[in-house]
Amino acid sequence: MSNETPKSNEIKRLTTPLTIKDFKAYDSEGNLLKCSETLSDVRFIVEPKQNILNDNEILQYAPQSKSASQIRLKRGFGNIQDILLVHESLPWILGLFYVVLICIAVPVTFSKNIVGMYLILVLVILPLLYLYYIFNHKKYKKGTVKKQVKESKKVETPVSTTADEKSSGMDSFKRYEKEISNLKVVFNVKEKVVRELIEKRFEPPQITYDKFMSSIDNCHKLFYAQSDAASNIIDLAVEDTPRVQDEIEGKIDAMKKIIDQIEDLTNELVINISSSGESTDEVKNLLDDMENLIESVKDY
């Protein structure tokens, strides 16, 4: 029986490298992806499914998606690229609009139709006003600022006591707990993907297959050793001090390095498989890097 949840399946879909075939892109479930094209960028984007991930998870696992751009704009820290992605068809619509408008304006101007000329002028200005509205970052920030002001008014500052200070100190570890939990989800997804790719590229029994799987097993053990160590520090710490924070962050950094190394190996395997496995030098080099990483993380 599979232990996978809809959330873990969705994270796997968002983080697994795309499959390119006949100049078309597909996600890990075989779904054909739409090509997103703006004035400065052309790319294939895996959009998150609705009602599975929350906003923070979408920003973490699908940062390049249109949904992530919408979230950033709502929160007030989006940029022009986010606006263009959300309104990706707008430049082409405006271009067509002005081409048609010019075709109409030329005969109207030569006929010296005053009413028609004023109407053309209005039609020229209206899209520009709409563009100003869309690209005005203040309108995105407005809702976020109002919400923050309302929430801040509801919060009352309690009288500080020794017990409250201890409680507040322990609450500061919650961000680490959440980050560790998220990293576990990412690692589990990426570990499963890389194991499937290794099995596909180096069908057992092969010495290379065994060597890769052994390295992945070591990464698994080391990752969870770092995770357990960080969780134990959080559980046993009696106060929040810079030294405690440094210890926890060191464990979390080690977890991130392991994830990055597995992701690099995954990408290289995808490329290697796509090129019919003509060369395994890059993959073997990554295996060596992974073994070096394992040895260095053991010193943490």
Side-chain angles (χ1 to χ4, degrees):
M1 183 176 178
S2 175
N3 293 324
E4 292 186 352
T5 63
K7 179 176 287 191
S8 64
N9 283 330
E10 178 65 0
I11 293 172
K12 177 182 177 180
R13 188 179 72 89
L14 293 172
T15 57
T16 301
L18 305 182
T19 301
I20 307 296
K21 185 178 181 181
D22 298 329
F23 303 103
K24 295 180 181 179
Y26 302 85
D27 63 15
S28 62
E29 296 178 354
N31 300 316
L32 180 64
L33 300 179
K34 177 185 174 184
C35 178
S36 177
E37 184 174 0
T38 64
L39 291 175
S40 60
D41 193 14
V42 178
R43 55 183 166 171
F44 294 101
I45 300 175
V46 184
E47 286 291 334
K49 297 177 182 177
Q50 294 184 350
N51 304 321
I52 296 180
L53 304 180
N54 59 38
D55 287 355
N56 290 331
E57 289 167 337
I58 290 174
L59 290 175
Q60 181 176 359
Y61 301 116
Q64 304 301 319
S65 65
K66 184 183 293 187
S67 298
S69 291
Q70 291 172 336
I71 293 168
R72 282 192 291 269
L73 290 172
K74 287 179 181 177
R75 293 185 175 184
F77 59 88
N79 55 29
I80 292 178
Q81 291 297 325
D82 291 318
I83 296 172
L84 288 173
L85 183 58
V86 171
H87 303 279
E88 59 179 322
S89 60
L90 184 61
W92 315 113
I93 293 174
L94 286 178
L96 180 61
F97 173 81
Y98 278 112
V99 168
V100 173
L101 190 60
I102 290 171
C103 294
I104 297 173
V106 171
V108 170
T109 302
F110 279 109
S111 66
K112 296 183 179 179
N113 185 330
I114 302 300
V115 176
M117 292 172 67
Y118 275 115
L119 181 60
I120 294 295
L121 181 62
V122 171
L123 291 175
V124 169
I125 293 173
L126 282 177
L128 297 178
L129 293 175
Y130 182 63
L131 283 175
Y132 173 78
Y133 172 77
I134 288 177
F135 284 90
N136 183 10
H137 284 66
K138 290 181 180 179
K139 88 180 183 68
Y140 296 108
K141 295 179 181 179
K142 188 176 179 182
T144 305
V145 172
K146 283 184 177 180
K147 184 178 179 181
Q148 290 174 345
V149 170
K150 287 181 180 180
E151 290 177 350
S152 64
K153 287 180 178 179
K154 294 179 182 179
V155 177
E156 296 180 0
T157 305
V159 178
S160 177
T161 63
T162 303
D164 288 336
E165 287 174 358
K166 286 186 178 181
S167 175
S168 175
M170 295 307 99
D171 286 344
S172 65
F173 286 142
K174 287 183 180 178
R175 72 181 188 277
Y176 293 128
E177 291 177 343
K178 186 175 182 181
E179 187 173 8
I180 291 169
S181 178
N182 288 339
L183 288 173
K184 284 181 179 179
V185 173
V186 175
F187 177 80
N188 290 338
V189 169
K190 292 186 180 296
E191 181 190 16
K192 182 176 181 181
V193 171
V194 78
R195 286 183 184 275
E196 290 173 352
L197 289 172
I198 290 170
E199 188 167 350
K200 184 175 181 180
R201 177 62 186 88
F202 307 102
E203 293 184 8
Q206 284 190 46
I207 295 176
T208 307
Y209 170 86
D210 294 336
K211 191 174 182 181
F212 269 105
M213 283 302 187
S214 176
S215 291
I216 299 301
D217 289 339
N218 289 334
C219 283
H220 181 96
K221 293 175 184 177
L222 196 56
F223 178 88
Y224 277 96
Q226 299 297 314
S227 169
D228 293 342
S231 297
N232 288 336
I233 294 173
I234 292 172
D235 293 338
L236 298 176
V238 294
E239 59 180 337
D240 187 354
T241 64
R243 183 180 177 185
V244 172
Q245 289 183 10
D246 288 343
E247 288 292 329
I248 296 172
E249 289 172 2
K251 304 299 181 186
I252 290 175
D253 286 342
M255 294 166 67
K256 289 178 179 178
K257 286 181 180 179
I258 295 171
I259 290 174
D260 289 342
Q261 196 69 50
I262 286 184
E263 186 171 10
D264 289 342
L265 179 59
T266 299
N267 292 332
E268 195 59 48
L269 283 168
V270 169
I271 295 170
N272 192 259
I273 291 171
S274 301
S275 61
S276 303
E278 294 174 359
S279 173
T280 60
D281 290 342
E282 291 297 328
V283 180
K284 289 179 178 178
N285 289 338
L286 278 171
L287 179 60
D288 293 336
D289 292 341
M290 182 174 288
E291 291 176 347
N292 292 333
L293 174 66
I294 291 170
E295 292 302 319
S296 65
V297 171
K298 286 179 180 178
D299 297 331
Y300 273 75

